[in-house]
Amino acid sequence: MVAENAEKQTTAPDGSSEPFPERIGPLPKRTIALGTLGSVLILLSAFGAAGILVSDPVLGHGPLSWIRYGHGQMLATGVIYLGFGLVVWAWVRLGRHVLAGRVAPGSVLLAAACWMAPLVIAPPVFTRDVFSYIAQGTLPLFGHDPYSVGPIVLDLQSVVQNVHPFWQTTPAPYGPMFILLAKGVAWVAGTNMIAGVVLMRVTLMIGLGLLLWALPGLVRHLGGNLSTTLWLAIAGPMTVVHLVGGPHNDLLMVGFLAAGTLCVLERKHVVGILLVTLGVAVKATAAIALPFLVWVWAGHLNSTPVKNFVRAGAAAVGVFVATFAVTTLAAGVNLGWIQALQAPTMIVNWLSVPTAVGEVVHSVVDLFVNANKSWFVNTTRVLGALVFVWIAARQWWQSRAGGSDAVRRMSFVLFAVAVLSPATLPWYLTWGFVIAAALPWQRRQLAILVSAAVFLVLTYSPAGEDLLYNWVFIACAVAVSVLAGFSLLRVDPLGLFTDHREDDLVGVGTPTAAKV
């Protein structure tokens, strides 16, 4: 059966060493069903273990209210982790199919759709950020400036009480485009937080649609493999669980970013800069992409390098200013959000490399001298910012030839800003990843990405609380994540089964191609 289904290793028509299967295998129904079962378990247990409402009109006092408290909540937490484990298992199995060249891109998208569908109507999982989004959209409806005050000023207990206490007094750090959309969601949903969560999730999935439109074109320009790219960027747990199940507005930002990048590569420069500007108007991080896209635009012009850069730069600035001005006026806000961007720096966790270094140095020094941790953390954060500026400037200057190389370097800088920022949250890693997913990847690199994706979901509890300093749990999360990565490359890495036939276990072959 294995020999019958394994693809022949040949050279692709473009001369690459990419797997080029003789035929696509059958739809991996069992794999899709496995992940769907996992998502359904997440959906059901989320009503007790995830970002539940403080006052739930459905389960708060009914016969099923036991799931929200005590042993019921512990059971729900166990089930939600079981469901997540099944989603990861299915994703890894699907990855083996992809590496063997046995599934078409459409099959990967079908799997992703089946895994996402139950989460569209679920309570927020592994975060409570969506309640902040709704509250920030509610603020302007009652005449408040979301960039000056936090949700706490609202006289709406049903809205405010669901916002995490950490963010109740914090102004919105998001751009006018997002405030406009959040205001629309809040206007439609009112104080019905269940409807608000679902509507916000559906609204943010506009970004998913933009990703689905852009990724095939990015693969064409960046040289990756479409099935692999979709498996990484769409079907992976960072998208399914964090960006959709969360949900997080990073999904909308990266959608605009990917679509705009493709448009610039395809010489639709004005549209591309406009789309990326809309991404900036969701989260400011997307602005990092603009200088790189100016090089791409300049590379399409036919004058001297200096004139090309000046023309492309001036045009890009003009499009940016006009688009941002219109978006700001439409949202009815001002530029106060720029000052509010400091809000995330209040987060302290070791996913941020500078913060981690500061905490480690403080821990060592504190063994000998009683020292203030904030001084160490703030110092290393400043050093991290300087390192990032150096990396970004160097990569930008090396991108002056434009084309796909500039986009590749852009994705690296977006990754760098995520890990070198004063604060890093798991979903920040998707900023550059959705672009980089369209690049060629080695098998071992993919295994590392699998481990990272699983770990980044597990760093927060299903209810959205930071687990990064629960060292016993983190050790278990690392072990599970490493096992997931090894499982991509090797069936049954722990040797738990006596029958290792690929067809029975995952139904894929094991080609040795260098590029996937």
Side-chain angles (χ1 to χ4, degrees), residues 308-383:
N308 289 343
F309 176 75
V310 171
R311 287 169 57 194
V317 168
V319 174
F320 175 84
V321 170
T323 304
F324 209 89
V326 170
T327 307
T328 301
L329 290 173
V333 294
N334 52 39
L335 297 179
W337 72 290
I338 296 175
Q339 184 177 356
L341 291 175
Q342 299 175 2
T345 62
M346 296 187 298
I347 301 170
V348 178
N349 69 49
W350 56 262
L351 283 182
S352 161
V353 172
T355 300
V357 172
E359 290 190 315
V360 170
V361 173
H362 168 261
S363 297
V364 174
V365 172
D366 202 48
L367 294 174
F368 307 98
V369 181
N370 187 18
N372 187 338
K373 184 169 75 172
S374 63
W375 188 89
F376 290 89
V377 171
N378 290 336
T379 300
T380 53
R381 283 179 168 183
V382 170
L383 294 175

Side-chain angles (χ1 to χ4, degrees), residues 224-497:
N225 175 281
L226 183 55
S227 292
T228 304
T229 298
L230 295 175
W231 173 70
L232 283 172
I234 303 297
M238 288 294 287
T239 301
V240 173
V241 178
H242 261 327
L243 295 186
V244 174
H248 290 285
N249 58 7
D250 302 76
L251 178 59
L252 187 61
M253 185 201 82
V254 297
F256 281 123
L257 177 62
T261 299
L262 176 62
C263 286
V264 174
L265 285 169
E266 305 245 315
R267 298 175 181 263
K268 300 171 184 176
H269 307 113
V270 172
V271 175
I273 298 299
L274 184 151
L275 287 171
V276 175
T277 302
L278 292 179
V280 177
V282 175
K283 294 193 82 165
T285 316
I288 292 171
L290 290 170
F292 291 88
L293 296 179
V294 168
W295 282 131
V296 178
W297 189 341
H300 293 158
L301 302 179
N302 298 318
S303 186
T304 63
V306 173
K307 287 184 178 179
N308 289 343
F309 176 75
V310 171
R311 287 169 57 194
V317 168
V319 174
F320 175 84
V321 170
T323 304
F324 209 89
V326 170
T327 307
T328 301
L329 290 173
V333 294
N334 52 39
L335 297 179
W337 72 290
I338 296 175
Q339 184 177 356
L341 291 175
Q342 299 175 2
T345 62
M346 296 187 298
I347 301 170
V348 178
N349 69 49
W350 56 262
L351 283 182
S352 161
V353 172
T355 300
V357 172
E359 290 190 315
V360 170
V361 173
H362 168 261
S363 297
V364 174
V365 172
D366 202 48
L367 294 174
F368 307 98
V369 181
N370 187 18
N372 187 338
K373 184 169 75 172
S374 63
W375 188 89
F376 290 89
V377 171
N378 290 336
T379 300
T380 53
R381 283 179 168 183
V382 170
L383 294 175
L386 294 175
V387 171
F388 169 72
V389 169
W390 177 78
I391 290 174
R394 185 169 183 269
Q395 292 299 317
W396 178 74
W397 183 245
Q398 291 180 341
S399 300
R400 58 191 182 277
S404 59
D405 182 63
V407 174
R408 179 179 62 82
R409 294 180 185 277
M410 177 188 82
S411 67
F412 174 74
V413 173
L414 285 166
F415 170 79
V417 73
V419 297
L420 292 175
S421 291
T424 301
L425 292 172
W427 42 94
Y428 289 5
L429 278 298
T430 61
W431 295 344
F433 175 68
V434 294
I435 304 294
L439 293 166
W441 289 93
Q442 301 290 330
R443 290 173 176 274
R444 290 184 179 178
Q445 293 172 332
L446 291 176
I448 293 172
L449 289 177
V450 167
S451 294
V454 174
F455 177 76
L456 288 170
V457 175
L458 293 175
T459 53
Y460 273 69
S461 74
E465 297 297 334
D466 185 351
L467 295 175
L468 285 163
Y469 294 91
N470 183 335
W471 298 112
V472 174
F473 180 88
I474 287 298
C476 294
V478 169
V480 169
S481 303
V482 171
L483 177 60
F486 273 113
S487 297
L488 180 70
L489 303 178
R490 182 178 176 184
V491 176
D492 188 20
L494 298 180
L496 300 177
F497 301 96

Side-chain angles (χ1 to χ4, degrees), residues 45-101:
S45 56
F47 289 100
I52 57 176
L53 299 175
V54 173
S55 301
D56 192 327
V58 179
L59 297 179
H61 302 286
L64 296 178
S65 61
W66 60 271
I67 197 175
R68 293 163 47 90
Y69 310 102
H71 291 94
Q73 190 176 56
M74 292 174 62
L75 175 62
T77 301
V79 173
I80 207 170
Y81 279 120
L82 173 61
F84 176 68
L86 294 179
V87 170
V88 170
W89 185 9
W91 182 52
V92 171
R93 284 170 59 112
L94 183 64
R96 295 191 196 127
H97 283 286
V98 167
L99 296 185

